[in-house]
Amino acid sequence: MELNISNIDIVVILLFVVGIIWWALKNRKNENASEYFLAGKSQNWFVVGSSLFAASVSSSTLMGHSGEGFISGIAVFNYNVGAIFVIIFVSLFFLPFYIKSGIYTIPEYLGRRFDNRSRKYFSFITIIGNVFLDAGAALYTGALILKIIFPEIDMMWIIIGMALMAGTYTIIGGLSSAINADMIQSIILIAGSVLLSIFCFNSVGGWENFVEHFHDGVWLNLIRPNSDTTVPWFSIFLSIPILGFYFWGNNQVIVQRVMSAKTVNEGRLGFLFVAFLYVFTLFIFIAPGMVGRMIDLFGVGDTLPNEIIDGNTLRAQYGIDTNEVYPRLILKLLPVGLIGVMIACMVSALTSTLSATLSSVSTLFTMDFYKSWRPKSSPRHLVRVGQWTSFIALVVAVLWAPLIGKFASLVAYYQEFSSYLAPPIVGTFLVGLFWKGSTRNGAFAGLMSGLAMSALIMTYKFGFGGVVPFHFLLWVPILLILSVLVNIIVSKCDRNKETDVETYTWNKSVWQDDTRELKTVPWYKNFRYISIALIIIALLEYWWFF
């Protein structure tokens, strides 16, 4: 697929790049650690929510959601609609502790609730995942999209260009620059996605024709049988909530933005705002990929049957690479000028994810490791360390990104790796917050037992090519239960009980404090009413697409 891009499109892209860098640097705050790592804790709900949306929607999300829509319909939307319930849970129970305790990192919460062993373990694996999976994958998939649109440019130069764009304002300006850039980029991302969605539905005669085309089978069903390879029904209730909690409640990339809010209520409203935006991702990210089947996007005609076929078979038998669905839709359906807007949209998704990851890595290393080695470091010195950490992480990600194409399993099995590694961490957070009896030894034993079991499964499957029983999503609750049981047993046998846990465990007084504060808040700003409305909307979507 080749494209002779117009001068108008090039101007649009250049104006976007220059404008974003200027805006981000204009709003930088880097005089001290609080400003650099948490944007001075001064952000309102709209900025927080916009930044969360931009940071959570990467270029791989655009490709992945549209590609999954092309392959299997709306099943992947279960992750998004399930996120609504998780976000409400996190904002209700965890967010007050994150913001009020004054922590910089999520592992720091484990350090205060338990000890430095749990803190440093979680921080270390988060840094590794941020650099080699999140940042590396963002650069690789973003370059893959742009390579399709600009086939004459070497992929490595595309990777370097994207890294320079995101790195310029993130390294210099810190989280404040990243958040302010995200706010603009989220607007562009939403507007561009809505625009493409409108062109997609118009190309097939509207929503009614779309529904009529896919009324047979499970294309428009969220609830699938257990035999479904994408999202079997049990995972909706057992696995997706756990993985969602890891992403929205334990992910430094995400929660760091919420902790930049000036109050707990502003953070909650920002969280709920991104949940509201996720309601519409079915129509602007996933459904366009399904339209690709209706308009013969890959030129295979009637040879492609109207049934669910896995991605490997599509590539082997029909020469279809579902990673190309999103850019092909842009090139096929949009006129000159709007193509440039959509390329800017994709660049927005990439740079937002990359800047979020760099901010996360710099904060984790500086506050969880360097500050413990040099506790008397000045706030300004910590900023310098954070800047150098971001730079080094960016260089490593740039060097690693091209290799991901040779090791496709790192991208293909990203969700599966998360399914093995996330449950013990989620279990430790849940037990630590809701059970005062959990001890430092119990928490660490739970983390290590989960890690050992996960390592055993992954080594057997990926190292020796063994066949692991059960769908990988079923291992999520199994690993969670295992780690929680170990945590409880060791804690019960541990003679060294924790003494200072009241500050970091949930109790009724937290709910009562919220109730008193909400008495002076208008109903339309009351996060409880908003949460109920979002739950109703999510349940209606499940009912509509049952």
Side-chain angles (χ1 to χ4, degrees), residues 338-352:
L338 291 182
I339 290 176
V341 173
M342 288 308 301
I343 295 174
C345 171
M346 291 188 294
V347 174
S348 294
L350 163 77
T351 54
S352 294

Side-chain angles (χ1 to χ4, degrees), residues 48-64:
V48 170
S50 300
S51 178
L52 282 171
F53 185 76
S56 63
V57 177
S58 66
S59 52
S60 57
T61 303
L62 298 178
M63 287 201 307

Side-chain angles (χ1 to χ4, degrees), residues 36 85 158 161 166 249 288 371 409 430 453 455 471 506 528:
Y36 188 78
F85 299 98
I158 297 176
K371 192 176 180 181
S409 60
L430 292 175
M453 187 66 179
H471 190 283
W506 193 88
R528 290 178 182 170

Side-chain angles (χ1 to χ4, degrees), residues 97-98 103 105-113 429 432-433 504:
F97 293 91
Y98 289 158
I103 60 175
T105 70
I106 303 306
E108 190 177 351
Y109 173 81
L110 287 185
R112 295 192 183 189
R113 175 62 179 87
F429 272 85
L433 183 70
Y504 304 106

